[in-house]
Amino acid sequence: MDEIFFQWANNIVAQSWQLFFRALDSAEFSWFFAATALVGMWFAGKPDTQMSYIQTLGTSVKDQKLIRAHVIVLFCSMAASFVFARVLQHFFPRPRPMAVAQMHIPIDPIIWEQIKSSISTQGSFPSDHAVMWFVMAAGLFWLNRYAGITALIVSILLSIMRIGTGFHWFSDIAAGALLGITVTALTFWLLPKISILERTVYKIVSMFDRYPVISYTLGFLIVMDFSRKFAGLFGIMATLLGKSLSH
């Protein structure tokens, strides 16, 4: 099934060099758009619009702090799932399609070899991009079903492009999606059930009201690092471990 789905996706994205390059770029740009979505979710739920924005929640307490608490949990779920996916890639060094499968490449072979040399040695299982995409889709669906369905459709399209350019097999994407959705659902379910977790998250939310300059400065730096695929986080981990880590 992996081979069949890969060939189908590759035939789609390899129809022209323009489409192939857009498919290559889409994965990296998606981190910026996900960061933008997190910021938008954080500032959503103004007193005069919050009822319509989260009316699908079905809870009695529908305020901005509830949204912000879940944005923090969503971000933590994403970071934890992403790091866990990278750890699994080291334990399961599965070759990427670009390294072992026949595929159509409508771009300059020299450029393609440069791309392959920078990524093909890294394990493909599971897809860390799929983790991020489907964590966002699950979080948005919890907050607003229409936004969540839209994010799910976009995640599927991005996944097809990721497969078609030879970065992942279908099973890599499926595993990443399952990991992301499971972690998000679990953390959202646990938030109101574990009092210490709930108090900690709401204390973080309250810090943005009490210490806005410091809190929003740190928040900006964290979101910027997220938009760069946690480059800073992996840099810190590399320093602590004394070895280079790809991100």
Side-chain angles (χ1 to χ4, degrees), residues 11 15 50 54 80 83-84 102 118 123 127 130 134 140 208 231 243:
N11 287 333
Q15 293 181 31
Q50 64 188 18
I54 57 173
V83 172
F84 184 60
Q102 294 290 328
S118 66
S127 167
F134 287 91
L140 284 169
F208 283 84
K243 58 183 294 187

Side-chain angles (χ1 to χ4, degrees), residues 25 54 88 113 129 167:
D25 292 338
I54 57 173
L88 288 177
E113 287 302 320
H129 283 81
F167 282 81

Side-chain angles (χ1 to χ4, degrees), residues 222-240:
I222 291 172
V223 172
M224 282 295 294
D225 190 51
F226 167 73
S227 70
R228 297 173 60 241
K229 290 179 61 179
F230 298 108
L233 174 62
F234 276 86
I236 294 173
M237 292 174 61
T239 301
L240 294 176

Side-chain angles (χ1 to χ4, degrees), residues 44 58 90 200:
H90 286 281
T200 300

Side-chain angles (χ1 to χ4, degrees), residues 100 151 153 231:
V100 297
I153 294 172

